[in-house]
Amino acid sequence: MKTVIPVDLPQNQYDIKIATDGLQYLGAWLSAIGKSGKVLLVSNPVIFKHYGDTAIESLKAAGFDVCQCILPAGERYKTLRSIEKIHDVAFTNRLERSSTMVALGGGVIGDMTGFAAATSLRGIAVVQVPTSLLAMVDASMGGKTGVNHPQGKNLIGAFHQPSLVLIDPNVLATLPGREFRAGMAEVIKYGIIWNEDLFDQLEQAQRLDQMRYVGQALLHDILKHSCQAKADVVSQDEKEAGLRAILNYGHTIGHAVESLTGYKLVNHGEAVGIGMVAAGAIATAMDLWPQTATDRQLAIIQKTNLPTKLPENLNINDILPTLRSDKKVKAGKVRFVLPKRIGAAFVTDQVTDDIIRSVLEEMF
Amino acid sequence: MKTVIPVDLPQNQYDIKIATDGLQYLGAWLSAIGKSGKVLLVSNPVIFKHYGDTAIESLKAAGFDVCQCILPAGERYKTLRSIEKIHDVAFTNRLERSSTMVALGGGVIGDMTGFAAATSLRGIAVVQVPTSLLAMVDASMGGKTGVNHPQGKNLIGAFHQPSLVLIDPNVLATLPGREFRAGMAEVIKYGIIWNEDLFDQLEQAQRLDQMRYVGQALLHDILKHSCQAKADVVSQDEKEAGLRAILNYGHTIGHAVESLTGYKLVNHGEAVGIGMVAAGAIATAMDLWPQTATDRQLAIIQKTNLPTKLPENLNINDILPTLRSDKKVKAGKVRFVLPKRIGAAFVTDQVTDDIIRSVLEEMF
Ligand SMILES: NC(=O)c1ccc[n+]([C@@H]2O[C@H](COP(=O)([O-])OP(=O)(O)OC[C@H]3O[C@@H](n4cnc5c(N)ncnc54)[C@H](O)[C@@H]3O)[C@@H](O)[C@H]2O)c1
Ligand SMILES: NC(=O)c1ccc[n+]([C@@H]2O[C@H](COP(=O)([O-])OP(=O)(O)OC[C@H]3O[C@@H](n4cnc5c(N)ncnc54)[C@H](O)[C@@H]3O)[C@@H](O)[C@H]2O)c1
Ligand SMILES: [Zn+2]
Ligand SMILES: [Zn+2]
């Protein structure tokens, strides 16, 4: 199975290729987009152990001169120090403006490699080879790159579009189940905010909690619809001036939950799942979409085995101030993305504290 | 005296304002381009001592909330470490996407502040307030930003256009004479490659070696013509695909001289002066422009009190390999910018080693 999704931005055109066994064509496809010469592959030890050889052999077979930078796994290494390590390998190996960096990994490796490429020789090409479901459907596309700062996540960064996104669904075979479910939260999000067909497919599936229950055909469709959704939104609003905000569906409450649980107990996808349950209930409480829609969304989230309740030790009195301290708050008004119908969403700052509070009280 | 030069790029439009006593209008002009809220001013101790108060008072009077980051002076601090310091001040003071960074300094402060702004919150506005002649006529415009890496100068960087360039010629009063002359080398360059009128004005001046001999009116004209030249070239070729290469006139031999003297004995402007003498002589040796033009250029460089001879301890046998190791070399061919006539230049890789050698031999 193979699907190509073209992304058309004013300054950049590139393809998202979704292809079973695609990893072994990495070198050939890099050549096909006109690349040659040096490639710096960035990965982490776990992912490199599984897929490093296939990637490197493919690149070498296509005539590329390959060097590599293997960074420790984990969000806590998503720092400027890691970027320095990539720069060191890049410049010691004399990368040129025509050279390419390849990110082989999840969102952490993708964000860092993209940022290192954005800041090397004032911008060299980066190819994203996402290996987590979250990176496949979200982080690898759209050009947001960066690292964390002690004062906050992703504060250091730049926009830098990839030259190619290569998705080989096979690599998900080794992804831990919890990471798979976290990625599914973003998939469900696209169903609600953008694509009713995707929502219907998710609704009809038996189980969504593990890759092996999903099956190749449905997985391919999920990837295709999700990437297309993100590509559509990003091409209409590359630099987050307006529409792109709907991608934050489930993320308003989600971010608060993540931050109040110290980014440990609940992971990003789980928090987004909880946030979508809350946003759906808020929309219903405001008479903006029917209770049946909220229920259908809930059923899909449950089928994915994502949490749908707030963590017990969370205090509602902490959530409201946390919402207000979010960097996207304008003039003290919390902005919510709410569904209008299945497949469409909008941004509003008209949600009252009372509604938020009464919805959250029902979520323990 | 006041001149406004609009710079029109596909994605960015901004003004270069050249204005006597302009520094005190910094705040007002920032407001005029729609800025408000937080400003992070970056400078070094010497420059901040002279001009920090005026800049900060002007910003505060216009209602800005100002914080500052004062970095040690000197090219050796143009590193990622200094960028981290700017990020620390930026995020501790909770800069937002609508905030602005202001670079008050020479090219070192300008390049670093531009890069810090490019990499904060995926790109916030930067205003360049250049205080050296080189920064006024060259570094502050065009959007190249970055820092050095142990493997080479400016290897880490990004394109990030300023939102405003504010040039107050008065601040040159405290610039050391040698730095003034270094900037004049780039001014002479624009006369040769782009603007015959500028060349004529330089030719008619009595002395060009010190700011106080140049006089306010000529200085204003020099700034105006130089900035216009750079703005013209950059707007025709923002990302250095073609035309922009002519800005490297004098820089081929110049870079080799800088690098072979360890970036110490000869500064950048001095090296460019020597490089222009060489490039002129090469063009004459190839029958591309007349001996009289080479002589007229030489006279201006001498009047600026810039060196016109190669450093005595330099060995010609070292220069040729150094030219070939330059990162801009393609397929082993050294690319030279040569004048066609006064006010126009072109790029060629047709200069033979024999010609280079015979020209350089005459330059001791
Ligand atoms: N740039 C964007 O637009 C964007 C969007 C969303 C998220 N992000 C960023 O992405 C990051 C989260 O991404 P993530 O969830 O992929 O986290 P991650 O990169 O840390 O990967 C999660 C875990 O799965 C492992 N892993 C990944 N692929 C594997 C595979 N095929 N087999 C075995 N193990 C594998 C990783 O080693 C890691 O331990 C965050 O830093 C977030 O800020 C960026
Ligand atoms: N971005 C670009 O397009 C571009 C173009 C050319 C050069 N550059 C960069 O610019 C840098 C060189 O710039 P520069 O020559 O301005 O060096 P600089 O910034 O180091 O300034 C030179 C010296 O003059 C001092 N100084 C500056 N203004 C002063 C003033 N008004 N009064 C008193 N002292 C003053 C500085 O403190 C410093 O000691 C290099 O790093 C180079 O790579 C960038
Ligand atoms: Zn998310
Ligand atoms: Zn120069």
Side-chain angles (χ1 to χ4, degrees), chain B residues 12-68:
Chain B
N12 302 277
Q13 288 77 41
Y14 59 92
D15 285 341
I16 303 167
K17 282 186 202 272
I18 307 168
T20 316
D21 292 325
L23 189 57
Q24 64 196 70
Y25 301 106
L26 171 60
W29 289 343
L30 248 171
S31 299
I33 58 167
K35 292 284 154 198
S36 62
K38 295 182 184 171
V39 167
L40 166 50
L41 180 94
V42 183
S43 195
N44 79 24
V46 183
I47 297 161
F48 191 76
K49 187 186 63 149
H50 290 303
Y51 308 108
D53 287 349
T54 309
I56 287 179
E57 273 165 33
S58 164
L59 289 165
K60 287 193 172 156
F64 290 96
D65 183 1
V66 187
C67 56
Q68 69 213 44

Side-chain angles (χ1 to χ4, degrees), chain A residues 11 80-81 84 87-88 91-92 94 97 115 118-122 144 149 151 155-159 240, chain B residues 11 80-81 84 87-88 91-92 97 115 118-122 144 149 151 155-159 240:
Chain A
Q11 304 279 309
L80 216 45
R81 281 290 167 284
E84 274 194 89
H87 283 151
D88 288 347
F91 302 129
T92 309
R94 308 213 165 278
R97 283 182 203 164
F115 186 61
T119 56
S120 292
L121 307 173
R122 299 194 196 96
K144 286 189 182 178
H149 183 270
Q151 296 285 338
L155 292 180
I156 302 172
F159 281 99
E240 205 157 31
Chain B
Q11 304 278 308
L80 216 46
R81 282 289 167 286
E84 275 195 88
H87 283 150
D88 287 347
F91 301 129
T92 309
R97 283 182 205 168
F115 186 61
T119 56
S120 293
L121 306 172
R122 299 194 197 97
K144 287 190 184 177
H149 182 272
Q151 295 284 340
L155 291 181
I156 302 171
F159 280 99
E240 205 158 29

Side-chain angles (χ1 to χ4, degrees), chain B residues 44 75 78 106-108 111 131-132 134 138-139 144 154 171 174:
Chain B
N44 79 24
E75 182 78 27
K78 194 174 145 182
V108 168
D111 280 10
T131 62
S132 71
L134 183 101
D138 191 357
K144 287 190 184 177
N154 299 318
V171 305
T174 53

Side-chain angles (χ1 to χ4, degrees), chain A residues 87-329:
Chain A
H87 283 151
D88 288 347
V89 178
F91 302 129
T92 309
N93 286 282
R94 308 213 165 278
L95 257 66
E96 293 156 14
R97 283 182 203 164
S98 59
S99 305
T100 308
M101 292 196 190
V102 171
L104 178 69
V108 168
I109 290 294
D111 280 9
M112 292 200 291
T113 311
F115 186 61
T119 56
S120 292
L121 307 173
R122 299 194 196 96
I124 68 171
V126 65
V127 167
Q128 295 285 351
V129 185
T131 62
S132 71
L133 181 57
L134 182 102
M136 289 178 182
V137 299
D138 191 357
S140 64
M141 292 160 284
K144 286 189 182 178
T145 72
V147 295
N148 302 325
H149 183 270
Q151 296 285 338
K153 286 190 66 175
N154 298 320
L155 292 180
I156 302 172
F159 281 99
H160 189 56
Q161 299 292 342
S163 299
L164 173 69
V165 180
L166 168 50
I167 298 177
D168 181 345
N170 285 356
V171 305
L172 295 178
T174 53
L175 185 72
R178 192 175 175 190
E179 299 295 342
F180 181 78
R181 292 187 284 279
M184 277 304 297
E186 308 283 351
V187 170
I188 299 168
K189 177 186 83 177
Y190 294 123
I192 304 283
I193 65 168
W194 201 254
N195 187 333
E196 192 175 1
D197 289 345
L198 173 58
F199 185 93
D200 291 343
Q201 280 188 300
L202 298 174
E203 198 163 46
Q204 281 148 35
Q206 291 291 330
R207 289 179 67 169
L208 293 169
D209 55 327
Q210 301 228 27
M211 148 101 174
R212 67 173 173 281
Y213 298 129
V214 172
Q216 280 218 351
L218 177 57
L219 181 61
H220 191 92
D221 267 11
I222 282 175
L223 292 169
K224 185 174 75 179
H225 286 310
S226 299
C227 292
Q228 186 69 60
K230 176 128 188 196
D232 287 348
V233 173
V234 168
S235 26
Q236 286 174 44
D237 178 21
E238 185 179 359
K239 298 277 170 82
E240 205 157 31
L243 179 69
R244 195 161 172 166
I246 67 166
L247 296 175
N248 288 321
Y249 178 58
H251 285 62
T252 308
I253 300 282
H255 282 151
V257 170
E258 272 186 284
S259 126
L260 289 170
T261 54
Y263 297 93
K264 293 214 165 69
L265 193 63
V266 177
N267 74 22
H268 177 73
E270 290 160 357
V272 170
I274 293 167
M276 291 192 294
V277 172
I282 288 171
T284 298
M286 291 172 77
D287 269 337
L288 295 167
W289 79 329
Q291 180 67 45
T292 49
T294 294
D295 294 343
R296 289 170 68 196
Q297 173 186 265
L298 184 68
I300 294 178
I301 297 173
Q302 282 168 335
K303 193 160 57 180
T304 309
N305 216 352
L306 282 164
T308 57
K309 299 276 176 199
L310 287 167
E312 275 173 35
N313 54 342
L314 223 67
N315 188 329
I316 291 196
N317 293 324
D318 294 336
I319 298 185
L320 284 161
T322 306
L323 293 178
R324 232 172 284 287
S325 71
D326 195 280
K327 65 182 171 190
K328 277 166 198 124
V329 169

